[in-house]
Amino acid sequence: MNKLRTIIRLYEEQHGLKTIASLSRTSRNTVRKYIQNWNSLGMSYEIFQQKSDSELHELFCVREGFDTSNPRLEELDSLMPEICKALSKRGMTAFRQWEQYRASHPDGYSLTQFRLAIRRYRKINHPSMRMEHKAGDKMFVDYCGDKLWIYPYNEPPRQVEVFVSVLGCSLLTYVEATYSQSKEDFISAEVPPKSWTG
């Protein structure tokens, strides 16, 4: 029923049939049947949200005489919140999460399908908006990732911070190693090298 809830929510958000079918991983014919059924019910979206899974099954599946349940896919979908939460931790990868998933689900999906499931889940639950930037209008700066080691000639090795700057329109990227994240190092990293300014 999670799939049905997703289809109706996307429809209420005025997404097209093709988009709904893609995001919910359901055929267009099935999406069309659900939407036709939804429109015939004359129910408000608020009431729909309050319905239990069994009530929705009665309204949409039994009534129409079809059931699109896929236990293996539903199992993977139920794991997605936990998987995506784990992926936000430093050093965690989709491959490592897939290995854990296959260890407990030997008949589970392949790595490719697993990654597609993650992308679809994020698209539905964490939608992003495309932003247009004027050339030269914005520059995005931050320090990223773990510290790196450098090995200067005739000096002991030391760790450095990684400063990254990206231009919003062209996505040109500048990366520089700095000794710290102090105000002085931050400002110094933001000043372009003389070779840039001529």
Side-chain angles (χ1 to χ4, degrees):
M1 290 298 103
N2 285 339
K3 189 173 288 190
L4 169 62
R5 292 181 193 277
T6 299
I7 289 169
I8 302 305
R9 177 175 62 79
L10 292 171
Y11 178 69
E12 287 295 302
E13 291 172 359
Q14 300 184 349
H15 290 282
L17 188 69
K18 186 177 179 182
T19 303
I20 296 171
S22 172
L23 291 175
S24 64
R25 291 171 284 179
T26 309
S27 73
R28 285 193 220 182
N29 286 338
T30 301
V31 170
R32 191 179 289 112
K33 283 182 183 178
Y34 277 146
I35 290 172
Q36 286 172 351
N37 199 344
W38 166 246
N39 287 329
S40 72
L41 289 172
M43 183 190 303
S44 71
Y45 185 63
E46 289 72 25
I47 293 173
F48 169 80
Q49 288 178 301
Q50 294 167 8
K51 296 283 184 187
S52 68
D53 284 356
S54 58
E55 288 173 321
L56 291 179
H57 187 269
E58 283 287 324
L59 287 169
F60 286 86
C61 297
V62 175
R63 179 176 161 184
E64 286 295 319
F66 69 94
D67 189 350
T68 58
S69 63
N70 179 338
R72 193 168 65 134
L73 183 57
E74 287 173 6
E75 174 70 19
L76 178 58
D77 284 344
S78 70
L79 297 171
M80 277 298 123
E82 186 181 330
I83 288 168
C84 289
K85 185 178 179 182
L87 285 172
S88 65
K89 295 177 182 173
R90 181 178 288 186
M92 182 53 70
T93 65
F95 181 74
R96 285 176 60 190
Q97 282 295 304
W98 175 74
E99 286 183 320
Q100 292 174 18
Y101 161 71
R102 284 303 292 265
S104 55
H105 300 83
D107 62 337
Y109 285 94
S110 67
L111 178 59
T112 302
Q113 291 301 315
F114 184 80
R115 285 182 167 148
L116 281 172
I118 291 171
R119 276 204 292 273
R120 288 188 188 109
Y121 175 83
R122 284 176 169 167
K123 209 171 203 179
I124 291 170
N125 293 282
H126 306 287
S128 59
M129 182 177 70
R130 181 180 173 82
M131 297 182 70
E132 298 291 335
H133 298 287
K134 294 179 183 176
D137 184 43
K138 290 185 181 72
M139 180 173 73
F140 301 93
V141 298
D142 201 356
Y143 286 93
C144 70
D146 296 325
K147 291 183 179 182
L148 299 179
W149 284 94
I150 60 170
Y151 301 87
Y153 183 68
N154 285 337
E155 291 181 31
R158 65 180 299 174
Q159 285 188 300
V160 292
E161 304 283 353
V162 181
F163 171 86
V164 179
S165 171
V166 180
L167 293 177
C169 180
S170 64
L171 299 182
L172 283 174
T173 305
Y174 174 73
V175 180
E176 182 178 324
T178 62
Y179 288 127
S180 70
Q181 291 189 22
S182 67
K183 187 191 298 183
E184 292 77 13
D185 284 337
F186 182 75
I187 292 171
S188 173
E190 284 187 310
V191 176
K194 289 183 181 178
S195 60
W196 282 26
T197 57

Coordinates of all heavy atoms in Angstrom, one line a residue, residues 16 28 44 51 60 118 129 171 173 187:
G16 N 2.6 14.4 -13.7 CA 2.1 13.7 -14.8 C 2.1 12.2 -14.6 O 2.9 11.6 -13.8
R28 N 2.4 2.3 -16.3 CA 1.4 3.4 -16.5 C 0.0 2.9 -16.5 O -0.9 3.7 -16.0 CB 1.7 4.1 -17.9 CG 3.0 5.0 -17.8 CD 3.0 5.8 -19.1 NE 4.4 5.9 -19.6 CZ 4.7 6.6 -20.6 NH1 3.9 7.3 -21.3 NH2 6.0 6.6 -21.0
S44 N -11.7 13.0 -0.1 CA -10.7 14.0 0.1 C -9.4 13.3 0.4 O -9.3 12.2 1.0 CB -11.1 15.0 1.2 OG -11.0 14.3 2.5
K51 N -6.9 6.4 6.1 CA -7.3 5.0 5.9 C -6.1 4.0 6.2 O -5.0 4.3 5.9 CB -7.7 4.8 4.4 CG -8.9 5.6 4.0 CD -10.2 5.0 4.5 CE -11.4 5.8 4.0 NZ -12.6 5.3 4.6
F60 N -9.1 -0.2 -3.5 CA -8.3 -0.1 -4.7 C -8.0 -1.4 -5.4 O -7.9 -1.5 -6.6 CB -7.0 0.7 -4.5 CG -7.2 2.2 -4.3 CD1 -7.5 2.7 -3.1 CD2 -7.2 3.0 -5.4 CE1 -7.8 4.0 -2.9 CE2 -7.4 4.4 -5.2 CZ -7.7 4.9 -4.0
I118 N 17.5 3.1 -4.1 CA 18.0 4.2 -3.3 C 17.7 5.5 -4.0 O 17.1 6.4 -3.3 CB 19.5 4.0 -3.0 CG1 19.7 2.9 -2.0 CG2 20.0 5.3 -2.3 CD1 21.2 2.5 -1.8
M129 N 15.2 20.8 -5.9 CA 14.7 21.7 -6.9 C 15.9 22.3 -7.7 O 16.9 22.6 -7.1 CB 14.0 22.9 -6.1 CG 13.5 24.0 -7.1 SD 12.6 25.3 -6.2 CE 14.0 26.1 -5.4
L171 N 30.0 25.7 -12.6 CA 30.4 24.6 -11.7 C 31.9 24.4 -11.8 O 32.4 23.3 -11.5 CB 29.7 23.3 -12.1 CG 28.2 23.3 -11.9 CD1 27.6 21.9 -12.3 CD2 27.8 23.6 -10.5
T173 N 35.5 24.4 -10.4 CA 35.8 24.0 -9.0 C 37.3 24.4 -8.7 O 38.1 24.1 -9.6 CB 35.6 22.5 -8.8 OG1 34.2 22.2 -9.1 CG2 35.8 22.1 -7.3
I187 N 40.2 32.9 4.5 CA 40.2 34.1 3.6 C 41.3 33.9 2.6 O 41.1 34.3 1.4 CB 40.4 35.4 4.5 CG1 39.2 35.6 5.3 CG2 40.7 36.6 3.6 CD1 39.3 36.7 6.4

